[in-house]
Amino acid sequence: MNALTQPVVARLSLASSQHDLHHARSLLDSALGFVRQQAATAQDPYVISRVGDVQIRIEVAAALLERAEGLLDSEKDATEISVALAESDLASAEALATASDAEFELTGRRTVLSGSLHDPLRWKRHLIGNFRLNGIHPSAQEAV
């Protein structure tokens, strides 16, 4: 079985990506509100660059999430769907971690987040890399 034959699990994976992406956007918005109140800080080149970095990561995660949703709804190849889900999960989790780090760097506070500890990201990197590099299709256990 894989993401295509386990639609409930695939939808949960999408929900996790959506959750992380929503939180990343919220953290960035909160940090931006704080920084904008500090006139000198808002003009700092490091701060401007950091905000740009977080925004780019959020947009990439959003694009990968949209792609995964589209593939899941299209009944494409199960392996492509599994890899797209893993890419979306990874990008969303990394966008959230980046936004959380930026929040701390820019505001001095950190919002407590529930993480993706139940589904280690390093295995998603392995799944994606093994498929893209070696053409090895994820096993049923890896695919969700």
Side-chain angles (χ1 to χ4, degrees):
M1 297 204 152
N2 54 44
L4 186 59
T5 58
Q6 295 181 356
V8 172
V9 174
R11 293 287 173 197
L12 288 173
S13 178
L14 285 177
S16 174
S17 293
Q18 291 165 339
H19 178 268
D20 286 353
L21 190 55
H22 171 75
H23 276 39
R25 286 181 172 138
S26 294
L27 291 177
L28 178 59
D29 287 344
S30 174
L32 289 176
F34 179 86
V35 170
R36 286 180 181 133
Q37 294 175 355
Q38 318 299 317
T41 305
Q43 300 306 313
D44 184 292
Y46 169 78
V47 171
I48 294 169
S49 178
R50 189 67 168 127
V51 169
D53 178 51
V54 176
Q55 184 63 47
I56 289 167
R57 290 170 190 266
I58 288 172
E59 293 303 322
V60 167
L64 288 171
L65 175 61
E66 185 177 321
R67 178 175 172 265
E69 290 169 335
L71 285 173
L72 188 60
D73 292 337
S74 72
E75 299 184 24
K76 292 276 186 184
D77 176 64
T79 299
E80 283 295 330
I81 293 170
S82 295
V83 171
L85 289 169
E87 290 169 344
S88 176
D89 284 344
L90 185 61
S92 297
E94 288 183 347
L96 178 56
T98 300
S100 178
D101 289 346
E103 176 194 37
F104 182 71
E105 293 165 10
L106 301 176
T107 69
R109 63 179 187 261
R110 185 180 301 269
T111 302
V112 177
L113 303 173
S114 58
S116 300
L117 298 177
H118 65 283
D119 192 9
L121 298 177
R122 68 181 178 278
W123 292 114
K124 293 187 184 302
R125 287 186 183 95
H126 183 268
L127 178 147
I128 294 163
N130 209 19
F131 176 68
R132 298 289 183 212
L133 178 63
N134 299 315
I136 296 176
H137 296 262
S139 68
Q141 294 79 23
E142 293 176 316
V144 291

